[in-house]
Amino acid sequence: MRNPLTWLRRNLVVIAGLGTLAYMILPNVVVTVFSFNNPTGRFNYAWQEFSLDAWKDPCGVADMCGSLSLSLQIALWSTLVATALGTAIAFALVRYRFRARGAVNSLIFLPMAMPEIVMAASLLALFLNMGIELGFWTILIAHIMFCLSFVVAAVKARVLSMDPRLEEAARDLYAGPVQTFVRVTLPIAAPGIAAGALLSFALSFDDFIITNFNSGNTVTFPMFVWGSAQRGTPVQINVIGTAMFVIAVLVVLAGQMVGNRRKKAQPK
Amino acid sequence: MTTTAAPPQAPASTEPPVHKPSVRKRLVPYWLLLPGILWLLVFFVLPMVYQASTSVQTGSLEEGFQVTWHFGTYWDAFTEYYPQFLRSLLYAGTATVLCLLLGYPLAYLIAFKAGRWRNLLLVLVIAPFFTSFLIRTLAWKTILADGGPVVAVLNNIGFLDVTSWLGMTEGDRVLATPLAVVCGLTYNFLPFMILPLYSSLERIDTRLHEAAGDLYARPATVFRKVTFPLSMPGVVSGTLLTFIPASGDYVNAELLGSTDTRMIGNVIQSQYLRILDYPTAAALSFILMAIVLIMVTIYIRRAGTEDLV
């Protein structure tokens, strides 16, 4: 560290990278700090005084926890269905040669290559024309639709890197097709399926644009936050935001720890 | 991917073994595809058809809409809202460039320099996916508040003079200006840039760096001639994953901007949900889709990486 300029140049990447990380984490810090605020007006944008009120009574705001549990239900169901349908598609695409494979590939890719609002609006056009009432079911249908492509992408990546010789070996050892799939194929594909499921849960739980178009009067958690930006934001929103961040970090860290232990246990 | 031309000592092929399949077996892929593809056909393709028909309808909310093949709606919608289209592309483009500039060092840091911190850094990049992005976007209102510390610093170092000159801010305010919207867009789509960048950087064999160094390449040259070209797939998919959703976004423009920063997403949203002018809304969203698809196609051709999907 004789020359500070040389030091700076050598560590430029680290400094710039950590700067970006700070930019990404800053709003989370603000959300956390302001969950301990006691705002005077309707809006929680300026710091007033420290208070634990919101943390003591996180569901103290009308309709907020209801919307939260609705979002969780929708995210769980759409993850379940999208993961099942998407995993099947991914296996078909990687493991089989069939006609229309190119067409199927593009059909899967298109929802990811389109601005969300275009899909949101076209679904609304469908539901309006068919006279379908907007609500829980239309939200669920929409979420399964856009989560599907992401699951296929995640599972496909994993299945592509699988060694088919392992399944051949299982078959040589007289395992039936079902046994091979359950005991060999599925465990190896599991990280990809888990990644797809996690991604679709996060996407569904956090989705705003498609839900905004297709929810009618049903209020999911993002819809509640959106409404509160106009009416006045209760501090409890920050409590939920903080709790979600902490839970997410813990879940992902725990998942990685399990993955690492498995890797170590596996002889190379 | 043919296996016949492979030299005899080539590693075992990863293709599935070729049997003579029975009819029942040949149908397996179709059964696997059926439910998912049906879902996409009914809830992705069919809606597009309905929206196309909506866009050529005329009529009113009271009397009902009828398909009259009135393509004039497209022209009227475009001429009326081309400023919003231009603004969307400009904001989304600026945010994409900023995401690339900000995201690359972090992806590089995680891929090559993080060591045992790698997992923690990755978690910090992914975690925002799981916490409500609306709440975090609202937090920017606090961060960029008038007279707040961030704005005061930006003002003191003369940053706001430059952005005012560029037309990105007005006076000593940041909130309700284009800068705030671009800042929010950049923030919200950064993970979509960093993750693809990281996964393509991570695949690079670091021995290539050493080899370049042994051949007397300076670090900057190594980056320009080895690292960056090899990370191109990540750059292309990262910029696409950022630009496409950003071009249709209306949340940032609504929460952090003003009526002067309305993007095309805001127009489509209010046409569909507030004004209830369905044909115009449908036409607008098809124009947006066409613009994005054309730009993406040209971009992918230029970047020369067609094996992204």
Side-chain angles (χ1 to χ4, degrees):
Chain A
M1 245 242 274
R2 265 162 298 171
N3 191 341
L5 224 82
T6 326
W7 180 85
L8 195 72
R9 206 184 314 154
R10 208 164 275 164
N11 292 290
L12 201 61
V13 178
V14 177
I15 296 166
L18 292 179
T20 304
L21 200 64
Y23 177 67
M24 294 182 76
I25 301 296
L26 182 64
N28 287 93
V29 174
V30 171
V31 168
T32 309
V33 169
F34 276 73
S35 72
F36 297 106
N37 192 16
N38 186 13
T40 43
R42 287 186 302 139
F43 291 96
N44 185 19
Y45 295 141
W47 180 259
Q48 302 291 339
E49 57 169 351
F50 182 86
S51 151
L52 279 173
D53 291 351
W55 280 91
K56 279 184 206 140
D57 186 19
C59 280
V61 189
D63 304 331
M64 188 184 72
C65 283
S67 72
L68 198 60
S69 95
L70 180 70
S71 276
L72 282 172
Q73 282 170 36
I74 290 173
L76 277 174
W77 282 115
S78 50
T79 300
L80 223 60
V81 178
T83 306
L85 300 184
T87 303
I89 293 179
F91 268 97
L93 283 175
V94 177
R95 284 300 166 81
Y96 297 90
R97 299 283 166 273
F98 52 90
R99 290 153 131 223
R101 197 159 159 271
V104 170
N105 255 324
S106 345
L107 181 63
I108 303 291
F109 176 66
L110 267 178
M112 292 191 281
M114 205 164 275
E116 216 183 330
I117 194 166
V118 177
M119 283 188 280
S122 66
L123 262 170
L124 180 62
L126 173 85
F127 293 141
L128 285 174
N129 274 293
M130 306 265 271
I132 296 171
E133 202 183 324
L134 300 175
F136 181 86
W137 291 105
T138 51
I139 301 175
L140 190 58
I141 285 171
H143 284 202
I144 293 170
M145 186 271 289
F146 76 77
C147 288
L148 199 54
S149 303
F150 288 93
V151 175
V152 175
V155 179
K156 224 172 102 182
R158 178 74 189 180
V159 179
L160 267 174
S161 68
M162 271 167 69
D163 190 342
R165 282 175 298 180
L166 291 171
E167 286 156 298
E168 277 166 50
R171 251 176 266 130
D172 287 348
L173 296 167
Y174 298 104
V178 177
Q179 212 178 357
T180 307
F181 185 77
V182 175
R183 305 279 295 266
V184 180
T185 314
L186 213 54
I188 306 178
I193 299 173
L198 220 60
L199 189 59
S200 67
F201 184 88
L203 287 171
S204 163
F205 186 74
D206 207 16
D207 179 74
F208 175 73
I209 295 183
I210 287 187
T211 315
N212 185 213
F213 272 76
N214 294 293
S215 62
N217 295 321
T218 310
V219 180
T220 63
F221 185 64
M223 297 291 300
F224 180 86
V225 178
W226 175 258
S228 77
Q230 271 106 44
R231 290 190 313 267
T233 39
V235 186
Q236 276 82 352
I237 281 183
N238 291 48
V239 174
I240 304 294
T242 310
M244 275 180 351
F245 184 72
V246 174
I247 293 170
V249 171
L250 289 179
V251 166
V252 181
L253 276 179
Q256 285 196 333
M257 251 148 58
V258 172
N260 279 351
R261 200 166 290 169
R262 280 234 186 98
K263 236 180 247 165
K264 267 180 205 151
Q266 243 171 29
K268 280 251 164 168
Chain B
M1 276 216 279
T2 52
T3 45
T4 44
Q9 72 272 30
S13 100
T14 48
E15 289 279 286
V18 184
H19 303 294
K20 282 217 170 128
S22 63
V23 177
R24 211 175 61 124
K25 267 205 172 150
R26 252 188 299 152
L27 284 177
V28 171
Y30 297 104
W31 284 116
L32 286 172
L33 289 172
L34 189 69
I37 294 304
L38 213 58
W39 200 281
L40 284 180
L41 287 177
V42 176
F43 298 119
F44 177 74
V45 178
L46 190 64
M48 293 290 166
V49 176
Y50 266 103
Q51 178 151 262
S53 100
T54 305
S55 71
V56 290
Q57 289 174 346
T58 47
S60 64
L61 208 56
E62 295 81 36
E63 293 160 22
F65 292 95
Q66 243 129 32
V67 177
T68 52
W69 302 103
H70 182 77
F71 284 100
T73 312
Y74 279 88
W75 179 249
D76 296 342
F78 185 73
T79 46
E80 188 171 353
Y81 294 109
Y82 77 89
Q84 281 86 346
F85 273 114
L86 278 178
R87 201 177 286 144
S88 300
L89 299 178
L90 185 69
Y91 289 0
T94 314
T96 306
V97 172
L98 285 175
C99 275
L100 186 59
L101 292 177
L102 289 171
Y104 208 105
L106 183 54
Y108 191 95
L109 172 71
I110 301 175
F112 296 127
K113 305 212 157 185
R116 63 203 180 89
W117 298 102
R118 185 189 266 196
N119 280 355
L120 181 71
L121 293 181
L122 269 180
V123 169
L124 289 176
V125 172
I126 301 168
F129 271 119
F130 292 84
T131 66
S132 178
F133 91 96
L134 278 170
I135 300 181
R136 288 179 287 118
T137 308
L138 283 174
W140 280 103
K141 279 196 144 170
T142 307
I143 299 168
L144 299 176
D146 297 343
V150 173
V151 173
V153 169
L154 290 179
N155 209 2
N156 280 331
I157 61 173
F159 183 80
L160 292 187
D161 295 332
V162 179
T163 51
S164 292
W165 182 73
L166 286 169
M168 297 287 282
T169 52
E170 279 164 49
D172 51 2
R173 297 197 71 193
V174 173
L175 222 55
T177 66
L179 181 67
V181 180
V182 170
C183 172
L185 285 171
T186 308
Y187 169 75
N188 273 317
F189 295 108
L190 253 175
F192 295 87
M193 179 68 85
I194 291 173
L195 291 176
L197 278 178
Y198 164 73
S199 69
S200 72
L201 283 171
E202 191 216 37
R203 260 181 248 144
I204 297 176
D205 191 338
T206 44
R207 280 174 300 182
L208 290 173
H209 293 166
E210 287 161 32
D214 288 347
L215 296 168
Y216 298 106
R218 289 152 46 104
T221 317
V222 176
F223 178 77
R224 198 162 47 84
K225 296 228 159 149
V226 179
T227 314
F228 191 74
L230 285 173
S231 70
M232 265 320 269
V235 173
V236 174
S237 54
T239 42
L240 289 179
L241 280 174
T242 311
F243 179 78
I244 296 171
S247 64
D249 181 83
Y250 57 88
V251 175
N252 290 284
E254 177 87 29
L255 294 181
L256 303 172
S258 69
T259 48
D260 296 334
T261 61
R262 275 161 62 92
M263 294 167 69
I264 197 62
N266 301 74
V267 179
I268 298 175
Q269 193 250 10
S270 73
Q271 292 281 344
Y272 248 119
L273 301 179
R274 262 181 257 158
I275 305 170
L276 308 180
D277 181 354
Y278 300 131
T280 303
L284 283 171
S285 76
F286 268 123
I287 298 172
L288 174 66
M289 183 176 88
I291 293 176
V292 168
L293 284 183
I294 291 169
M295 289 181 75
V296 166
T297 312
I298 295 173
Y299 177 65
I300 292 180
R301 285 266 161 78
R302 276 275 164 89
T305 41
E306 278 170 22
D307 44 53
L308 282 170
V309 192

PDB file of all heavy atoms in Angstrom, chain A residues 117 212-213, chain B residues 81 250 254 262-278 281 284:
ATOM      1  N   ILE A 117     -46.525  -6.462 -19.610  1.00  0.00           N
ATOM      2  CA  ILE A 117     -47.793  -5.761 -19.777  1.00  0.00           C
ATOM      3  C   ILE A 117     -48.546  -6.255 -21.008  1.00  0.00           C
ATOM      4  O   ILE A 117     -49.782  -6.247 -21.033  1.00  0.00           O
ATOM      5  CB  ILE A 117     -47.560  -4.234 -19.842  1.00  0.00           C
ATOM      6  CG1 ILE A 117     -48.887  -3.509 -19.670  1.00  0.00           C
ATOM      7  CG2 ILE A 117     -46.872  -3.820 -21.113  1.00  0.00           C
ATOM      8  CD1 ILE A 117     -48.741  -2.038 -19.395  1.00  0.00           C
ATOM      9  N   ASN A 212     -52.366  -6.874 -11.506  1.00  0.00           N
ATOM     10  CA  ASN A 212     -53.080  -5.602 -11.587  1.00  0.00           C
ATOM     11  C   ASN A 212     -54.149  -5.638 -12.686  1.00  0.00           C
ATOM     12  O   ASN A 212     -55.263  -5.135 -12.516  1.00  0.00           O
ATOM     13  CB  ASN A 212     -52.059  -4.481 -11.863  1.00  0.00           C
ATOM     14  CG  ASN A 212     -52.677  -3.099 -11.843  1.00  0.00           C
ATOM     15  OD1 ASN A 212     -52.249  -2.224 -12.566  1.00  0.00           O
ATOM     16  ND2 ASN A 212     -53.702  -2.898 -11.024  1.00  0.00           N
ATOM     17  N   PHE A 213     -53.830  -6.291 -13.816  1.00  0.00           N
ATOM     18  CA  PHE A 213     -54.780  -6.349 -14.928  1.00  0.00           C
ATOM     19  C   PHE A 213     -55.872  -7.385 -14.692  1.00  0.00           C
ATOM     20  O   PHE A 213     -56.993  -7.209 -15.147  1.00  0.00           O
ATOM     21  CB  PHE A 213     -54.039  -6.684 -16.229  1.00  0.00           C
ATOM     22  CG  PHE A 213     -53.513  -5.478 -16.943  1.00  0.00           C
ATOM     23  CD1 PHE A 213     -52.383  -4.815 -16.485  1.00  0.00           C
ATOM     24  CD2 PHE A 213     -54.158  -4.981 -18.073  1.00  0.00           C
ATOM     25  CE1 PHE A 213     -51.903  -3.695 -17.140  1.00  0.00           C
ATOM     26  CE2 PHE A 213     -53.675  -3.859 -18.733  1.00  0.00           C
ATOM     27  CZ  PHE A 213     -52.551  -3.216 -18.261  1.00  0.00           C
TER      28      PHE A 213
ATOM     29  N   TYR B  81     -49.381   8.735 -29.090  1.00  0.00           N
ATOM     30  CA  TYR B  81     -48.556   8.357 -27.937  1.00  0.00           C
ATOM     31  C   TYR B  81     -47.102   8.086 -28.291  1.00  0.00           C
ATOM     32  O   TYR B  81     -46.393   7.460 -27.525  1.00  0.00           O
ATOM     33  CB  TYR B  81     -49.156   7.136 -27.240  1.00  0.00           C
ATOM     34  CG  TYR B  81     -50.498   7.439 -26.615  1.00  0.00           C
ATOM     35  CD1 TYR B  81     -51.674   6.928 -27.149  1.00  0.00           C
ATOM     36  CD2 TYR B  81     -50.579   8.279 -25.501  1.00  0.00           C
ATOM     37  CE1 TYR B  81     -52.895   7.233 -26.587  1.00  0.00           C
ATOM     38  CE2 TYR B  81     -51.801   8.591 -24.948  1.00  0.00           C
ATOM     39  CZ  TYR B  81     -52.957   8.064 -25.489  1.00  0.00           C
ATOM     40  OH  TYR B  81     -54.159   8.374 -24.935  1.00  0.00           O
ATOM     41  N   TYR B 250     -44.550   0.109 -15.720  1.00  0.00           N
ATOM     42  CA  TYR B 250     -45.174   1.390 -15.388  1.00  0.00           C
ATOM     43  C   TYR B 250     -45.128   1.682 -13.899  1.00  0.00           C
ATOM     44  O   TYR B 250     -45.552   2.749 -13.462  1.00  0.00           O
ATOM     45  CB  TYR B 250     -46.616   1.454 -15.889  1.00  0.00           C
ATOM     46  CG  TYR B 250     -47.528   0.349 -15.386  1.00  0.00           C
ATOM     47  CD1 TYR B 250     -48.215   0.482 -14.190  1.00  0.00           C
ATOM     48  CD2 TYR B 250     -47.716  -0.801 -16.120  1.00  0.00           C
ATOM     49  CE1 TYR B 250     -49.052  -0.520 -13.737  1.00  0.00           C
ATOM     50  CE2 TYR B 250     -48.542  -1.800 -15.686  1.00  0.00           C
ATOM     51  CZ  TYR B 250     -49.213  -1.658 -14.495  1.00  0.00           C
ATOM     52  OH  TYR B 250     -50.035  -2.649 -14.047  1.00  0.00           O
ATOM     53  N   GLU B 254     -44.794   5.412 -12.254  1.00  0.00           N
ATOM     54  CA  GLU B 254     -45.942   5.853 -11.468  1.00  0.00           C
ATOM     55  C   GLU B 254     -45.515   6.263 -10.062  1.00  0.00           C
ATOM     56  O   GLU B 254     -45.951   7.295  -9.553  1.00  0.00           O
ATOM     57  CB  GLU B 254     -46.961   4.705 -11.393  1.00  0.00           C
ATOM     58  CG  GLU B 254     -48.182   4.991 -10.554  1.00  0.00           C
ATOM     59  CD  GLU B 254     -49.272   5.679 -11.347  1.00  0.00           C
ATOM     60  OE1 GLU B 254     -49.340   5.463 -12.574  1.00  0.00           O
ATOM     61  OE2 GLU B 254     -50.064   6.432 -10.745  1.00  0.00           O
ATOM     62  N   ARG B 262     -44.399   9.805 -17.879  1.00  0.00           N
ATOM     63  CA  ARG B 262     -45.230   8.638 -18.171  1.00  0.00           C
ATOM     64  C   ARG B 262     -44.622   7.805 -19.292  1.00  0.00           C
ATOM     65  O   ARG B 262     -44.244   8.328 -20.341  1.00  0.00           O
ATOM     66  CB  ARG B 262     -46.629   9.076 -18.560  1.00  0.00           C
ATOM     67  CG  ARG B 262     -47.540   9.303 -17.371  1.00  0.00           C
ATOM     68  CD  ARG B 262     -48.723  10.156 -17.752  1.00  0.00           C
ATOM     69  NE  ARG B 262     -49.550   9.503 -18.774  1.00  0.00           N
ATOM     70  CZ  ARG B 262     -50.590   8.727 -18.487  1.00  0.00           C
ATOM     71  NH1 ARG B 262     -50.926   8.495 -17.243  1.00  0.00           N
ATOM     72  NH2 ARG B 262     -51.305   8.196 -19.451  1.00  0.00           N
ATOM     73  N   MET B 263     -44.542   6.494 -19.051  1.00  0.00           N
ATOM     74  CA  MET B 263     -44.036   5.585 -20.074  1.00  0.00           C
ATOM     75  C   MET B 263     -45.234   4.925 -20.747  1.00  0.00           C
ATOM     76  O   MET B 263     -46.373   5.096 -20.325  1.00  0.00           O
ATOM     77  CB  MET B 263     -43.100   4.546 -19.443  1.00  0.00           C
ATOM     78  CG  MET B 263     -41.829   5.183 -18.899  1.00  0.00           C
ATOM     79  SD  MET B 263     -40.883   4.099 -17.836  1.00  0.00           S
ATOM     80  CE  MET B 263     -40.284   2.864 -18.996  1.00  0.00           C
ATOM     81  N   ILE B 264     -44.963   4.136 -21.795  1.00  0.00           N
ATOM     82  CA  ILE B 264     -46.078   3.568 -22.559  1.00  0.00           C
ATOM     83  C   ILE B 264     -46.889   2.600 -21.695  1.00  0.00           C
ATOM     84  O   ILE B 264     -48.104   2.465 -21.865  1.00  0.00           O
ATOM     85  CB  ILE B 264     -45.586   2.907 -23.872  1.00  0.00           C
ATOM     86  CG1 ILE B 264     -46.747   2.712 -24.832  1.00  0.00           C
ATOM     87  CG2 ILE B 264     -44.862   1.607 -23.621  1.00  0.00           C
ATOM     88  CD1 ILE B 264     -47.415   3.992 -25.272  1.00  0.00           C
ATOM     89  N   GLY B 265     -46.207   1.954 -20.733  1.00  0.00           N
ATOM     90  CA  GLY B 265     -46.918   1.066 -19.822  1.00  0.00           C
ATOM     91  C   GLY B 265     -48.007   1.800 -19.051  1.00  0.00           C
ATOM     92  O   GLY B 265     -49.111   1.282 -18.864  1.00  0.00           O
ATOM     93  N   ASN B 266     -47.702   3.019 -18.616  1.00  0.00           N
ATOM     94  CA  ASN B 266     -48.695   3.812 -17.895  1.00  0.00           C
ATOM     95  C   ASN B 266     -49.916   4.088 -18.784  1.00  0.00           C
ATOM     96  O   ASN B 266     -51.051   4.048 -18.325  1.00  0.00           O
ATOM     97  CB  ASN B 266     -48.111   5.157 -17.454  1.00  0.00           C
ATOM     98  CG  ASN B 266     -46.904   4.996 -16.565  1.00  0.00           C
ATOM     99  OD1 ASN B 266     -45.843   4.641 -17.048  1.00  0.00           O
ATOM    100  ND2 ASN B 266     -47.062   5.233 -15.281  1.00  0.00           N
ATOM    101  N   VAL B 267     -49.643   4.371 -20.067  1.00  0.00           N
ATOM    102  CA  VAL B 267     -50.744   4.669 -20.983  1.00  0.00           C
ATOM    103  C   VAL B 267     -51.616   3.432 -21.180  1.00  0.00           C
ATOM    104  O   VAL B 267     -52.842   3.489 -21.057  1.00  0.00           O
ATOM    105  CB  VAL B 267     -50.197   5.165 -22.343  1.00  0.00           C
ATOM    106  CG1 VAL B 267     -51.350   5.450 -23.289  1.00  0.00           C
ATOM    107  CG2 VAL B 267     -49.331   6.391 -22.155  1.00  0.00           C
ATOM    108  N   ILE B 268     -50.965   2.284 -21.448  1.00  0.00           N
ATOM    109  CA  ILE B 268     -51.733   1.055 -21.673  1.00  0.00           C
ATOM    110  C   ILE B 268     -52.552   0.722 -20.436  1.00  0.00           C
ATOM    111  O   ILE B 268     -53.727   0.376 -20.515  1.00  0.00           O
ATOM    112  CB  ILE B 268     -50.793  -0.121 -22.024  1.00  0.00           C
ATOM    113  CG1 ILE B 268     -50.042   0.166 -23.326  1.00  0.00           C
ATOM    114  CG2 ILE B 268     -51.582  -1.420 -22.157  1.00  0.00           C
ATOM    115  CD1 ILE B 268     -49.007  -0.877 -23.699  1.00  0.00           C
ATOM    116  N   GLN B 269     -51.924   0.861 -19.277  1.00  0.00           N
ATOM    117  CA  GLN B 269     -52.623   0.544 -18.025  1.00  0.00           C
ATOM    118  C   GLN B 269     -53.855   1.413 -17.855  1.00  0.00           C
ATOM    119  O   GLN B 269     -54.934   0.920 -17.559  1.00  0.00           O
ATOM    120  CB  GLN B 269     -51.653   0.715 -16.850  1.00  0.00           C
ATOM    121  CG  GLN B 269     -52.148   0.120 -15.558  1.00  0.00           C
ATOM    122  CD  GLN B 269     -52.504   1.168 -14.534  1.00  0.00           C
ATOM    123  OE1 GLN B 269     -52.557   2.356 -14.869  1.00  0.00           O
ATOM    124  NE2 GLN B 269     -52.763   0.752 -13.313  1.00  0.00           N
ATOM    125  N   SER B 270     -53.709   2.725 -18.069  1.00  0.00           N
ATOM    126  CA  SER B 270     -54.870   3.579 -17.818  1.00  0.00           C
ATOM    127  C   SER B 270     -55.916   3.415 -18.924  1.00  0.00           C
ATOM    128  O   SER B 270     -57.116   3.522 -18.662  1.00  0.00           O
ATOM    129  CB  SER B 270     -54.444   5.038 -17.639  1.00  0.00           C
ATOM    130  OG  SER B 270     -54.078   5.587 -18.867  1.00  0.00           O
ATOM    131  N   GLN B 271     -55.487   3.136 -20.165  1.00  0.00           N
ATOM    132  CA  GLN B 271     -56.469   2.900 -21.233  1.00  0.00           C
ATOM    133  C   GLN B 271     -57.297   1.648 -20.939  1.00  0.00           C
ATOM    134  O   GLN B 271     -58.501   1.614 -21.171  1.00  0.00           O
ATOM    135  CB  GLN B 271     -55.771   2.725 -22.582  1.00  0.00           C
ATOM    136  CG  GLN B 271     -55.105   3.978 -23.119  1.00  0.00           C
ATOM    137  CD  GLN B 271     -56.081   4.936 -23.766  1.00  0.00           C
ATOM    138  OE1 GLN B 271     -57.207   4.557 -24.081  1.00  0.00           O
ATOM    139  NE2 GLN B 271     -55.670   6.176 -23.945  1.00  0.00           N
ATOM    140  N   TYR B 272     -56.626   0.605 -20.435  1.00  0.00           N
ATOM    141  CA  TYR B 272     -57.330  -0.646 -20.179  1.00  0.00           C
ATOM    142  C   TYR B 272     -58.175  -0.586 -18.911  1.00  0.00           C
ATOM    143  O   TYR B 272     -59.298  -1.066 -18.864  1.00  0.00           O
ATOM    144  CB  TYR B 272     -56.346  -1.815 -20.053  1.00  0.00           C
ATOM    145  CG  TYR B 272     -56.437  -2.810 -21.178  1.00  0.00           C
ATOM    146  CD1 TYR B 272     -55.352  -3.060 -21.999  1.00  0.00           C
ATOM    147  CD2 TYR B 272     -57.619  -3.498 -21.438  1.00  0.00           C
ATOM    148  CE1 TYR B 272     -55.420  -3.973 -23.038  1.00  0.00           C
ATOM    149  CE2 TYR B 272     -57.702  -4.400 -22.474  1.00  0.00           C
ATOM    150  CZ  TYR B 272     -56.603  -4.624 -23.278  1.00  0.00           C
ATOM    151  OH  TYR B 272     -56.677  -5.519 -24.308  1.00  0.00           O
ATOM    152  N   LEU B 273     -57.612  -0.007 -17.834  1.00  0.00           N
ATOM    153  CA  LEU B 273     -58.257  -0.158 -16.526  1.00  0.00           C
ATOM    154  C   LEU B 273     -59.028   1.077 -16.090  1.00  0.00           C
ATOM    155  O   LEU B 273     -59.888   0.989 -15.217  1.00  0.00           O
ATOM    156  CB  LEU B 273     -57.205  -0.516 -15.467  1.00  0.00           C
ATOM    157  CG  LEU B 273     -56.418  -1.808 -15.726  1.00  0.00           C
ATOM    158  CD1 LEU B 273     -55.411  -2.050 -14.637  1.00  0.00           C
ATOM    159  CD2 LEU B 273     -57.348  -3.005 -15.869  1.00  0.00           C
ATOM    160  N   ARG B 274     -58.715   2.257 -16.649  1.00  0.00           N
ATOM    161  CA  ARG B 274     -59.431   3.451 -16.190  1.00  0.00           C
ATOM    162  C   ARG B 274     -60.320   4.044 -17.269  1.00  0.00           C
ATOM    163  O   ARG B 274     -61.496   4.261 -17.079  1.00  0.00           O
ATOM    164  CB  ARG B 274     -58.424   4.502 -15.694  1.00  0.00           C
ATOM    165  CG  ARG B 274     -58.292   4.459 -14.169  1.00  0.00           C
ATOM    166  CD  ARG B 274     -57.319   5.499 -13.684  1.00  0.00           C
ATOM    167  NE  ARG B 274     -56.054   4.887 -13.339  1.00  0.00           N
ATOM    168  CZ  ARG B 274     -54.894   5.536 -13.286  1.00  0.00           C
ATOM    169  NH1 ARG B 274     -54.833   6.807 -13.599  1.00  0.00           N
ATOM    170  NH2 ARG B 274     -53.801   4.909 -12.942  1.00  0.00           N
ATOM    171  N   ILE B 275     -59.736   4.291 -18.471  1.00  0.00           N
ATOM    172  CA  ILE B 275     -60.513   4.920 -19.541  1.00  0.00           C
ATOM    173  C   ILE B 275     -61.388   3.899 -20.257  1.00  0.00           C
ATOM    174  O   ILE B 275     -62.407   4.240 -20.844  1.00  0.00           O
ATOM    175  CB  ILE B 275     -59.555   5.629 -20.528  1.00  0.00           C
ATOM    176  CG1 ILE B 275     -58.677   6.613 -19.750  1.00  0.00           C
ATOM    177  CG2 ILE B 275     -60.307   6.344 -21.632  1.00  0.00           C
ATOM    178  CD1 ILE B 275     -57.539   7.190 -20.559  1.00  0.00           C
ATOM    179  N   LEU B 276     -60.989   2.614 -20.172  1.00  0.00           N
ATOM    180  CA  LEU B 276     -61.732   1.517 -20.776  1.00  0.00           C
ATOM    181  C   LEU B 276     -61.893   1.675 -22.284  1.00  0.00           C
ATOM    182  O   LEU B 276     -62.916   1.324 -22.849  1.00  0.00           O
ATOM    183  CB  LEU B 276     -63.116   1.359 -20.108  1.00  0.00           C
ATOM    184  CG  LEU B 276     -63.116   1.243 -18.587  1.00  0.00           C
ATOM    185  CD1 LEU B 276     -64.542   1.106 -18.070  1.00  0.00           C
ATOM    186  CD2 LEU B 276     -62.280   0.064 -18.121  1.00  0.00           C
ATOM    187  N   ASP B 277     -60.870   2.237 -22.932  1.00  0.00           N
ATOM    188  CA  ASP B 277     -60.830   2.286 -24.395  1.00  0.00           C
ATOM    189  C   ASP B 277     -60.044   1.070 -24.861  1.00  0.00           C
ATOM    190  O   ASP B 277     -58.846   1.133 -25.121  1.00  0.00           O
ATOM    191  CB  ASP B 277     -60.161   3.595 -24.849  1.00  0.00           C
ATOM    192  CG  ASP B 277     -60.117   3.707 -26.365  1.00  0.00           C
ATOM    193  OD1 ASP B 277     -60.491   2.730 -27.046  1.00  0.00           O
ATOM    194  OD2 ASP B 277     -59.702   4.766 -26.864  1.00  0.00           O
ATOM    195  N   TYR B 278     -60.734  -0.082 -24.940  1.00  0.00           N
ATOM    196  CA  TYR B 278     -60.039  -1.338 -25.190  1.00  0.00           C
ATOM    197  C   TYR B 278     -59.311  -1.395 -26.526  1.00  0.00           C
ATOM    198  O   TYR B 278     -58.180  -1.863 -26.590  1.00  0.00           O
ATOM    199  CB  TYR B 278     -61.004  -2.524 -25.041  1.00  0.00           C
ATOM    200  CG  TYR B 278     -61.605  -2.623 -23.656  1.00  0.00           C
ATOM    201  CD1 TYR B 278     -62.964  -2.780 -23.475  1.00  0.00           C
ATOM    202  CD2 TYR B 278     -60.783  -2.551 -22.540  1.00  0.00           C
ATOM    203  CE1 TYR B 278     -63.511  -2.868 -22.207  1.00  0.00           C
ATOM    204  CE2 TYR B 278     -61.326  -2.625 -21.265  1.00  0.00           C
ATOM    205  CZ  TYR B 278     -62.692  -2.785 -21.108  1.00  0.00           C
ATOM    206  OH  TYR B 278     -63.220  -2.862 -19.864  1.00  0.00           O
ATOM    207  N   ALA B 281     -56.049   0.522 -26.311  1.00  0.00           N
ATOM    208  CA  ALA B 281     -55.133  -0.172 -25.403  1.00  0.00           C
ATOM    209  C   ALA B 281     -54.527  -1.388 -26.078  1.00  0.00           C
ATOM    210  O   ALA B 281     -53.318  -1.627 -25.995  1.00  0.00           O
ATOM    211  CB  ALA B 281     -55.868  -0.581 -24.132  1.00  0.00           C
ATOM    212  N   LEU B 284     -52.035  -0.333 -28.733  1.00  0.00           N
ATOM    213  CA  LEU B 284     -50.792   0.144 -28.111  1.00  0.00           C
ATOM    214  C   LEU B 284     -49.918  -1.010 -27.659  1.00  0.00           C
ATOM    215  O   LEU B 284     -48.707  -1.012 -27.862  1.00  0.00           O
ATOM    216  CB  LEU B 284     -51.115   1.045 -26.917  1.00  0.00           C
ATOM    217  CG  LEU B 284     -51.570   2.463 -27.243  1.00  0.00           C
ATOM    218  CD1 LEU B 284     -52.055   3.163 -25.979  1.00  0.00           C
ATOM    219  CD2 LEU B 284     -50.434   3.252 -27.881  1.00  0.00           C
TER     220      LEU B 284
END
